[in-house]
Amino acid sequence: MAARLVETRLSDRERLDWLRLIRSENVGPRTFRALVDRCGSAAAALAALPELARRGGASRPIRVAAADDIERELDAARKLGVRFVASCEPEYPPALRHIDAAPPLIALRGREEALQQPAAAIVGSRNASAAGLAFADRLARGLGQAGYVVVSGLARGIDQRAHVASLETGTIAVLAGGHAKPYPPEAAPLIPRIAENGAVVSEMPLGWEPRGRDFPRRNRIVSGLALGVIVVEAARGSGSLITARLAAEQGREVFAAPGSPLDPRAEGTNNLLRDGATLCARLDDALGALEPLRARDPFGRLEEPRGGDRLWIDEPADDGEPAAPEADVAGDASVAERVGALLGPSPVSIDELARAADADVRSVRAALIELELAGRIERSGGDRVALLAPADQD
């Protein structure tokens, strides 16, 4: 889908509709965007969900978030000092807006200004060494003094040390769960301190308790907010290495602090260096690579204010196909059947799927919306999709 986002402000009703849509069953950030683009508004997308899911082969009616439930979430958020910022609004972080599967809305506690400043992420081991903690502290303080907001995931060890070291200059904590369920629980007293000069953000429902699969989702936001990600101590299989991989996929600079080959906490970072990450043995290593990126301002503001929540202006798709009319919400039934038959458990790119189905990319994407709403497929990086095994379908 080739489209560009235009800047606007949501009305209270539109914000409610956006939250209802993203909180509805099987609607992720990519599907949200595709639905709003095709239907013209979140309200129209909500009305279309049941029929689209039925066409995709859903075995039961799709669960659409109730307006009353969202109203309660909005009320509870206000009591916590949390507000929802949409991806089309000027307060939304410009860097985050540019990533694949950017959250349509983020729940924000703290200062909006922190989301507009150039940022660098520091992540690392929960079971950090004293040397690793000291280095994270030094990096965070130095980056803050150089004008960068420090981003991390509030986890024990390196993450929390980076947050504490940059409280005065500004830090952003990204939650894996909702604002009412911070993780780890002992980090709760740190959150209001972070919010004084920085921000705490989440894409999850307010009362969401984080599960294992929510942490990689959080990590894509950590890396997406930053010009670069610095990994300080990471064992093999560490979640910090997921953040580094996501940063590389997002076109961010990836740094790694070297460590002793005898320390398993340095195995992941040393492997990153072997695979081409930028060495970060001192603050100047990070600043030397980040400063040219900051000067280039790669995440400039959107320029075209516009009313309403028709947010993505269609442009010619990558395959040269013209944009579909707004009213053409449902895909071609024959294309949907071919796409469903061609999908299997191995991820395949949408371009490859279109070639195999002998169909244009736009029609394939329309079919995939229906299949996703029916809970029959899952998406992965690189715009790839795979069929879920029957046991994994709800």
Side-chain angles (χ1 to χ4, degrees):
M1 180 183 305
R4 57 192 176 90
L5 188 64
V6 295
E7 194 170 89
T8 186
R9 283 196 179 279
L10 299 186
S11 67
D12 290 345
R13 181 67 210 188
E14 287 169 340
R15 201 175 309 276
L16 177 70
D17 290 339
W18 273 49
L19 277 168
R20 285 189 66 201
L21 184 57
I22 195 59
R23 299 285 190 255
S24 292
E25 184 180 18
N26 296 330
V27 177
R30 294 186 190 90
T31 304
F32 179 100
R33 171 173 173 162
L35 285 166
V36 173
D37 182 57
R38 286 190 169 274
C39 299
S41 70
L46 286 164
L49 284 182
E51 175 60 16
L52 291 173
R54 187 196 65 77
R55 286 173 58 99
S59 58
R60 55 167 177 75
I62 188 172
R63 291 191 294 270
V64 179
D68 288 349
D69 291 340
I70 300 303
E71 289 280 14
R72 282 191 287 271
E73 182 178 357
L74 286 165
D75 287 341
R78 281 189 284 269
K79 291 174 183 175
L80 284 177
V82 172
R83 54 204 180 279
F84 291 92
V85 178
S87 58
C88 61
E89 295 183 308
E91 297 82 6
Y92 194 88
L96 186 63
R97 186 185 279 136
H98 284 73
I99 72 167
D100 181 41
L105 300 113
I106 54 171
L108 164 68
R109 178 178 176 182
R111 296 173 61 84
E112 296 168 353
E113 297 86 347
L115 303 179
Q116 307 303 313
Q117 295 176 236
I122 299 175
V123 298
S125 174
R126 288 171 170 79
N127 180 32
S129 69
L133 291 170
F135 187 54
D137 188 290
R138 183 181 304 173
L139 281 176
R141 291 181 189 278
L143 287 166
Q145 291 165 4
Y148 292 89
V149 170
V150 173
V151 184
S152 201
L154 204 67
R156 302 178 183 96
I158 297 296
D159 289 25
Q160 287 188 24
R161 179 59 67 93
H163 287 308
V164 170
S166 53
L167 283 172
E168 292 185 7
T169 53
T171 181
I172 300 173
V174 184
L175 304 179
H179 280 271
K181 295 286 185 179
Y183 182 88
E186 65 266 23
L190 184 56
I191 287 177
R193 298 175 65 196
I194 291 173
E196 286 181 16
N197 293 313
V200 184
V201 300
S202 169
E203 68 174 327
M204 306 304 287
L206 201 71
W208 188 266
E209 186 134 11
R211 303 159 299 176
R213 64 184 182 185
D214 296 322
F215 291 92
R217 292 183 59 172
R218 174 207 62 184
N219 293 351
R220 89 185 194 287
I221 299 177
V222 170
S223 56
L225 286 165
L227 291 169
V229 173
I230 306 170
V231 184
V232 180
E233 294 190 342
R236 179 185 294 187
S238 165
S240 299
L241 300 182
I242 297 175
T243 309
R245 174 179 59 79
L246 292 167
E249 291 176 356
Q250 293 165 351
R252 300 337 192 220
E253 191 76 18
V254 178
F255 302 87
S260 167
L262 300 178
D263 188 344
R265 289 170 293 200
E267 186 174 0
T269 48
N270 289 342
N271 286 343
L272 286 175
L273 291 169
R274 182 198 62 199
D275 294 338
T278 300
L279 175 74
C280 185
R282 55 190 185 129
L283 174 64
D284 285 347
D285 293 334
L287 292 178
L290 290 173
E291 284 299 295
L293 299 177
R294 175 161 70 171
R296 204 162 63 232
D297 187 25
F299 309 116
R301 281 196 174 280
L302 303 178
E303 297 178 352
E304 188 175 346
R306 187 178 176 93
D309 66 350
R310 172 67 178 174
L311 302 173
W312 289 279
I313 296 178
D314 287 320
E315 296 175 343
D318 294 339
D319 61 352
E321 290 294 326
E326 287 184 19
D328 183 19
V329 177
D332 181 273
S334 62
V335 173
E337 289 175 6
R338 295 201 300 275
V339 167
L342 287 165
L343 284 169
S346 299
V348 61
S349 76
I350 292 176
D351 285 339
E352 292 169 338
L353 195 56
R355 283 193 292 272
D358 192 23
D360 63 84
V361 171
R362 186 170 294 276
S363 298
V364 170
R365 288 188 184 277
L368 291 174
I369 291 173
E370 297 171 5
L371 291 168
E372 187 164 22
L373 292 175
R376 295 178 58 196
I377 64 169
E378 63 178 348
R379 297 181 184 263
S380 55
D383 213 11
R384 299 166 72 84
V385 292
L387 195 66
L388 284 169
D392 296 326
Q393 298 179 25
D394 189 2

